[in-house]
Structure formats: structure tokens, C-alpha cells
Amino acid sequence: RCQGQRLECIVEGMRSLPDVLSGAVRAWEPTELLPNRAFAEVWARHFPGQTCVSADALLDVLSTAYEPLSEKDRKEIRLWLYPNTDGMVCLLDADAIFGARGPWRGVLFCTSWAELCPELLQQAIMAGGAEQQFATTPVDLAAERTALLVGWSRQRLLGSPLVLRMLSALGLQVAADAGDEGLLVQLALADVAESLQSDASALSACFRDLVPPAIAELSTES
């Protein structure tokens, strides 16, 4: 949120420059700073030049552009966007959810993490309408590119926007509660998961210093 406020200050400062730069300022698009072009294009198309929009407006766009969202889904996604008291969402907070994974995968991250796991989805398809049972638990997720955050949960992550941004920057794809063990997270790259868990890595040391307790080792096979 602080980064979003700094971005807004930069925008306002640029708008106060002499008229010679006014054209360039008006043409500048904040989403040019975002690495994920899929989400950047959605934001730029519907909210050009804006760094904050109403949460409802953003949810309406997602519901129209991808798939209609139920009221339950809208409420869950809204929580992960950290709207302020006026219901406004910062571009950087939205990017932490939708930029790191893409818009639709961001929706599933908030509402239905199991659908982000191809192997689980395949089991669901194979089961069809029969009485076969298929697992959609964190145990099934712990096959590759995973790390266990001891003492954490989705609820705690929801209340920690800084940690969410950190993990998203590291390639967070899925976050699933693993009971009393903690929060199981799946990252985009096995090397990052391994580095995050290694006691000898600078990345792990930094994460432990900022976000205790330490990460317990789990599978990092690719």
C-alpha cells in the first residue's frame, strides 16, 4: 500500500511539471511498471491512467472478461485485494494477486486452489459422476516445487499483505492449509523452493529474519 501511495505521489508530481512535459505525463500508463502483461493489459484497458479503482469495478471486469463470479467468490477475492475504507484497491495489491499468476489463475488462487493443480483436476475429470473418490488435499499438492511455512495458514497470509507480495514475487502459485503443520505453498520454480528452504541460502535467511518461524523442508523435486 505504501508503494502504491509513492506511485500516486510520482504521478501527481509529474502532473505538476511544466507544460512542455504535460503531454507525456497524460500519456503515461502506470501499468508499464508491471511485469505481467496479461493483467497489465486488462487494467490499462478498463482503468487507463489510474493507480486505484473500486474493488467492485475490478471484480465486475473480471466477472465479465473471464467467467461470472458468484457472490461468495466476489467476497473472497475482495478480502485478498485489501480495499481501503472507501472500497478502493491499489494497483500493486491487485498485481500481487493477478499479476503474479495471471487474472484467471489469480481468481482461482483466492477461491479454489485445487483447480490450479493439473493433476488434481485430471483426477476430478477421470472420476466424472461416478462414486470414485479423488483427493484434493495439500498432501496431493506436495509433489514438487513446494515449501511448508510452519505456523502459517491461508488466513494468516490473508492478513499479511507484505508476505503475500514477497511470496508472489518469488513465484507463488498455490497456497493450501496443511492442518497443524502450517501452510503449503507451491512456487513456479523448483530452484526457488529449494533455495527458500536451504539454511545456507541468503534468500532463506532473509525470509526467516522477516517472517519467522522458519520454513520446514518438504519436497523440492522438479
Side-chain angles (χ1 to χ4, degrees), residues 1-6 81-84 88 90 92-93 165:
R1 196 172 305 278
C2 289
Q3 292 177 345
Q5 292 173 346
R6 294 190 188 101
L81 293 175
Y82 309 112
N84 62 20
M88 301 296 286
C90 172
L92 293 182
D93 284 329
R165 286 182 182 176

Side-chain angles (χ1 to χ4, degrees), residues 159-221:
S160 306
L162 175 60
V163 178
L164 176 61
R165 286 182 182 176
M166 291 172 58
L167 291 174
S168 295
L170 293 175
L172 176 64
Q173 300 297 305
V174 184
D177 286 325
D180 295 335
E181 296 296 323
L183 180 70
L184 190 65
V185 296
Q186 186 177 65
L187 304 175
L189 299 174
D191 289 346
V192 176
E194 184 176 359
S195 179
L196 191 59
Q197 294 179 145
S198 172
D199 291 337
S201 75
L203 177 61
S204 177
C206 177
F207 197 91
R208 285 197 304 271
D209 290 341
L210 293 174
V211 190
I215 298 175
E217 182 175 357
L218 204 60
S219 171
T220 57
E221 298 178 2

Side-chain angles (χ1 to χ4, degrees), residues 5-192:
Q5 292 173 346
R6 294 190 188 101
L7 183 58
E8 290 176 351
C9 289
I10 292 174
V11 173
E12 292 303 320
M14 292 179 67
R15 286 173 178 160
S16 66
L17 292 175
D19 292 341
V20 67
L21 296 178
S22 61
V25 171
R26 286 193 297 271
W28 181 70
E29 172 55 51
T31 55
E32 292 176 3
L33 299 176
L34 303 182
N36 185 287
R37 298 316 304 165
F39 176 61
E41 289 172 4
V42 170
W43 185 285
R45 184 184 311 121
H46 296 278
F47 313 113
Q50 300 183 59
T51 57
C52 289
V53 300
S54 75
D56 288 336
L58 178 56
L59 292 172
D60 287 343
V61 166
L62 294 172
S63 187
T64 301
Y66 292 91
E67 184 174 323
L69 299 173
S70 67
E71 189 58 34
K72 178 177 179 294
D73 287 343
R74 291 176 68 99
K75 289 180 179 179
E76 290 186 17
I77 297 169
R78 187 185 180 93
L79 291 175
W80 290 94
L81 293 175
Y82 309 112
N84 62 20
T85 54
D86 295 324
M88 301 296 286
V89 174
C90 172
L91 172 58
L92 293 182
D93 284 329
D95 184 64
I97 294 295
F98 304 114
R101 301 162 193 86
W104 186 237
R105 290 178 65 85
V107 168
L108 295 179
F109 175 87
C110 299
T111 62
S112 182
W113 66 263
E115 294 186 47
L116 292 173
C117 307
E119 64 275 15
L120 301 185
L121 186 58
Q122 181 179 14
Q123 291 180 50
I125 294 172
M126 294 297 293
E131 295 181 356
Q132 293 177 298
Q133 298 296 316
F134 61 92
T136 56
T137 68
V139 174
D140 302 288
L141 176 63
E144 58 180 28
R145 299 179 283 115
T146 55
L148 184 67
L149 308 186
V150 177
W152 280 79
S153 65
R154 279 180 63 90
Q155 188 62 36
R156 184 178 177 186
L157 182 63
L158 178 60
S160 306
L162 175 60
V163 178
L164 176 61
R165 286 182 182 176
M166 291 172 58
L167 291 174
S168 295
L170 293 175
L172 176 64
Q173 300 297 305
V174 184
D177 286 325
D180 295 335
E181 296 296 323
L183 180 70
L184 190 65
V185 296
Q186 186 177 65
L187 304 175
L189 299 174
D191 289 346
V192 176

